[in-house]
């Protein structure tokens, strides 16, 4: 609901503070048809080795029991970090598949890498 700073360092400071305090920022949009989804691709930037707090808000805001979650993220050196483990903690009744981490600066050129990953998950 509240925008993040546009300056990178200010955003990273806020991200760290939110993660350390367990803050879950309010979101402006809510899905009303979550029950129609079986597989949910969950995208996030990597914030201090895990998913961003708005994504944590999203995952915490729904009953995702029985759903399959597929994490993907951009990063600048952490890879997926502890993303899968964190998602399993937040959604213990969901299956969390092998995620994909893309180097932030080259994410826009990762088409083949993404296609290969989707094929490895039998989703392409």
């Amino acid at each position: 609901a509240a925008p993040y700073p546009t300056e990178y360092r200010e955003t990273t400071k806020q991200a760290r503070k939110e993660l350390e305090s367990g803050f879950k920022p309010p979101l402006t949009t809510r899905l009303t048809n979550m029950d129609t989804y079986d597989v949910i691709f969950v995208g996030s930037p990597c914030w201090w080795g895990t998913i961003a707090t708005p994504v944590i808000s999203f995952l915490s805001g729904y009953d995702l029991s029985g759903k399959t979650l597929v994490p993907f993220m951009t990063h600048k050196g952490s890879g997926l970090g502890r993303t899968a483990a964190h998602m399993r903690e937040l959604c213990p009744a969901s299956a969390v598949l092998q995620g994909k981490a893309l180097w932030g600066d080259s994410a826009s050129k990762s088409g083949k890498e993404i296609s290969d990953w989707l094929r490895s998950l039998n989703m392409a």
Side-chain angles (χ1 to χ4, degrees), residues 62-105:
Y62 296 94
D63 178 5
L64 299 175
S65 301
K67 307 283 186 199
T68 299
L69 306 178
V70 188
F72 65 98
M73 65 178 21
T74 57
H75 70 96
K76 292 290 258 178
S78 313
L80 284 171
R82 59 188 170 87
T83 296
H86 196 176
M87 289 177 84
R88 286 184 186 100
E89 289 170 18
L90 292 166
C91 306
S94 299
V96 178
L97 298 187
Q98 176 62 43
K100 184 65 179 167
L102 300 168
W103 185 262
D105 293 339

